Amino acid sequence: MGQQKKIRKCGVYTWFGFLLPFREKLRLIKDAGFDTVCTWWDDMFLEMDGRKEEQFDQALSAGLLIEHTHLPYFGCDELWRPGLSGDALCARYCRAVAGAAASGIRTVVMHPFERQAPPAGDWAVFIARMERIAGESARRGIHLAIENICDQNGLMRILDHFNGNPYVGLCFDTGHNHLTAANGFGLLDRHRDRIFALHVHDNNGKADEHLLPYEGTVDWAAFMEKIGETNFAGSLMLEACYPIDMEKLDKDPARGYLAPAVPPEEYLERAKQSCEKVLQAGI
């Protein structure tokens, strides 16, 4: 149990359910007591968040570290299909890796598929493109963390292919794992030396709700025991947000958003308390 004490920091995704200017979100996150953040590497909120390339320095100025950034995942199944569309998407991912590295970010997170490996997808085509993306990560000296979604078998096949590449590893998402693994943590056992990032959130085992820890049914004591047996020493990065319909928001951000009924300070206070409670579960 002693190893579990090595995770001491709490982080939070800068999207936690509130549409606010980026600098204001950083101030609120810092005031709530968080140490690190995760960002979204895209310009879809350019008017509100400013240039993504400037966010690393802005976070440092606010007393926070961008521990990792999330690459966009819309349409990522194209990576599995021959053709110009998939080639263009692969090139965009390579440019994103290069841009994140140039901005000071040391880990990027990507989804390997939208929900599961496409049944008609071409494994050879996908791997060839992933080799290009992983090669860009290696050239830039940053980690490429592949996130577990619904298809753990597909994920493990990908990670096994890159087993000899020290720049490719796992972003372990507790909520996604809870939907697919009956609350087991086999991925942490299997890849204990290759965990580059955590996405921490809860659900009731039926839908990807992105709840705060202890608002669902994830076994947090078991999670902390398992993560304590790995070499991961980063933050517990909350990827929770004030309850909204995430699928509706992803499909139509402009119409799918409703302002939360509580102030952001109140939600972030609850978020920090839940993160601390998870840390205590590992002691």
Side-chain angles (χ1 to χ4, degrees), residues 13-282:
Y13 187 19
T14 52
W15 169 250
F16 50 89
F18 295 78
L19 286 178
L20 297 166
F22 189 73
R23 291 182 186 272
E24 177 67 6
K25 287 187 287 188
L26 292 178
R27 183 188 67 79
L28 291 167
I29 289 168
K30 181 62 177 179
D31 287 350
F34 288 96
D35 306 291
T36 61
V37 292
C38 164
T39 59
W40 176 250
W41 193 260
D42 192 65
D43 292 324
M44 63 188 298
F45 299 109
L46 180 63
E47 290 187 9
M48 182 166 294
D49 286 354
R51 295 182 68 248
K52 60 187 181 298
E53 293 83 0
E54 298 173 355
Q55 292 176 354
F56 185 82
D57 288 339
Q58 290 172 3
L60 286 182
S61 296
L64 296 163
L65 173 70
I66 297 181
E67 190 167 278
H68 59 266
T69 193
H70 204 314
L71 304 183
Y73 47 76
F74 304 114
C76 62
D77 281 357
E78 285 301 311
L79 290 175
W80 292 79
R81 301 181 180 112
L84 295 178
S85 179
D87 290 342
L89 180 58
C90 177
R92 287 199 296 274
Y93 276 126
C94 288
R95 289 195 298 271
V97 168
S103 298
I105 297 171
R106 309 317 304 161
T107 300
V108 296
V109 173
M110 73 173 290
H111 288 191
F113 30 72
E114 294 184 29
R115 293 189 64 81
Q116 61 184 26
D122 189 315
W123 172 259
V125 167
F126 172 76
I127 285 297
R129 288 172 175 154
M130 283 298 298
E131 290 280 7
R132 286 185 58 195
I133 300 167
E136 190 66 32
S137 295
R139 281 189 292 275
R140 303 290 175 171
I142 70 171
H143 286 141
L144 177 65
I146 311 299
E147 183 173 341
N148 55 304
I149 314 295
C150 293
D151 181 356
Q152 291 205 1
N153 289 330
L155 172 78
M156 288 189 289
R157 186 178 177 188
I158 295 165
L159 290 177
D160 286 348
H161 177 86
F162 288 98
N163 189 50
N165 187 327
Y167 292 98
V168 179
L170 172 66
C171 170
F172 184 79
D173 186 298
T174 61
H176 297 164
N177 182 75
H178 193 43
L179 294 174
T180 57
N183 209 34
F185 297 99
L187 280 177
L188 295 178
D189 281 329
R190 185 182 177 103
H191 303 289
R192 62 182 59 196
D193 296 325
R194 303 171 65 195
I195 300 165
F196 295 159
L198 295 179
H199 284 172
V200 176
H201 54 102
D202 211 337
N203 60 60
N204 289 296
K206 297 179 180 179
D208 191 18
E209 299 167 283
H210 286 258
L211 303 175
L212 292 173
Y214 298 98
E215 292 182 347
T217 55
V218 170
D219 186 339
W220 293 106
F223 164 71
M224 287 301 292
E225 181 177 357
K226 285 298 180 183
I227 198 67
E229 296 170 357
T230 74
N231 68 350
F232 181 77
S235 304
L236 286 180
M237 186 68 69
L238 293 182
E239 202 194 24
C241 64
Y242 188 83
I244 56 176
D245 187 332
M246 289 297 292
E247 290 190 6
K248 184 178 180 181
L249 182 65
D250 279 347
K251 291 177 182 177
D252 193 345
R255 298 183 183 180
Y257 176 79
L258 292 175
V262 302
E265 295 89 344
E266 179 180 325
Y267 180 73
L268 285 171
E269 181 181 3
R270 286 169 44 206
K272 182 59 162 56
Q273 290 172 350
S274 73
C275 193
E276 293 288 353
K277 189 175 179 180
V278 175
L279 290 177
Q280 290 297 315

